[in-house]
């Protein structure tokens, strides 16, 4: 199988995972190295998409109360965006959430990523926070079961 979606499983894979998160989600906002990690990384469920063993996309899933799961830190390698990797990793996370009995996925989308999630049937709930006082986010959700 050319595409694998799984947790990173070596020191090198973890380095690549956080490096991708930093380069795509923190560096463009002028944030220092180290800012890509947070306290939720220990408990979080990590997904990494490898295409022919090369890391292309990442995301973290946090389990919350009331059968809710939150997707965070979704990022696709810069020159690999628009090729379907983001969609693939989001669908894998959705399947995983169904398997473990989660009923709803929520996320805070960057303003320019809202349409990407809408294509995956997420609905905007409300305007949420501004990351680093500049980047507007929108709370979105997708119901998985009634
Ligand atoms: C946003 C992001 C995760 C999308 O992943 P991707 O691999 O580029 O997107 P895909 O190729 O899987 O696109 C799936 C569909 O969404 C559309 N799409 C992708 N990014 C989009 C965007 N920013 N706005 C609108 N539509 C978008 C694609 O055109 C495609 O549409 P189609 O199914 O009709 O062909 C990725 O571009 C990325 O990492 N961007 C920078 C970081 C970021 O914004 N992360 C999200 C933080 S909330």
């Amino acid at each position: 199988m050319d595409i694998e979606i799984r947790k990173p499983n070596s020191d090198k894979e973890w380095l690549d995972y956080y490096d991708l998160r930093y380069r795509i989600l923190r560096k463009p906002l002028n944030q220092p190295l180290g800012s890509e990690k947070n306290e939720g990384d220990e408990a979080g469920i990590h997904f990494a998409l490898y295409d022919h063993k090369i890391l292309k996309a990442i995301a973290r899933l946090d389990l919350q109360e009331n059968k809710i799961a939150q997707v965070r830190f979704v990022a696709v390698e810069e020159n690999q965006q628009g090729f379907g990797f983001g969609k693939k990793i989001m669908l894998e996370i959705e399947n995983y959430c169904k398997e473990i009995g989660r009923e709803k996925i929520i996320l805070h989308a960057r303003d320019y990523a809202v349409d990407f999630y809408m294509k995956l049937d997420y609905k905007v709930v409300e305007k949420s926070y501004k990351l680093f006082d500049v980047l507007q986010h929108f709370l979105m959700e997708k119901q998985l079961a009634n």
Side-chain angles (χ1 to χ4, degrees), residues 24 74-76 81-84 86-87 110 112 115-117 119:
I24 303 299
V74 180
V76 175
Q81 294 172 7
F83 294 111
K87 182 175 176 175
R110 294 177 174 212
Y112 51 76
D115 289 351
F116 164 70
Y117 296 111
K119 286 205 162 177

Side-chain angles (χ1 to χ4, degrees), residues 78-97:
E78 195 160 34
N79 57 6
Q80 299 296 319
Q81 294 172 7
F83 294 111
F85 296 124
K87 182 175 176 175
K88 277 198 173 67
I89 204 165
M90 287 301 297
L91 292 178
E92 178 73 15
I93 289 171
E94 194 177 313
N95 286 336
Y96 174 80
C97 284

Side-chain angles (χ1 to χ4, degrees), residues 116-141:
F116 164 70
Y117 296 111
M118 284 182 78
K119 286 205 162 177
L120 294 168
D121 294 326
Y122 285 78
K123 310 273 181 258
V124 175
V125 178
E126 63 189 19
K127 214 176 193 181
S128 56
Y129 60 89
K130 260 193 184 171
L131 183 65
F132 307 126
D133 283 336
V134 290
L135 188 48
Q136 184 64 56
H137 280 62
F138 291 83
L139 174 62
M140 301 184 77
E141 67 175 31

Side-chain angles (χ1 to χ4, degrees), residues 67-70 102-106 141-145:
K67 299 197 173 180
I68 295 173
Q70 180 175 1
R102 295 283 137 172
E103 293 182 353
K104 186 160 83 174
I105 301 179
I106 64 165
E141 67 175 31
K142 182 169 183 174
Q143 203 73 39
L144 302 180

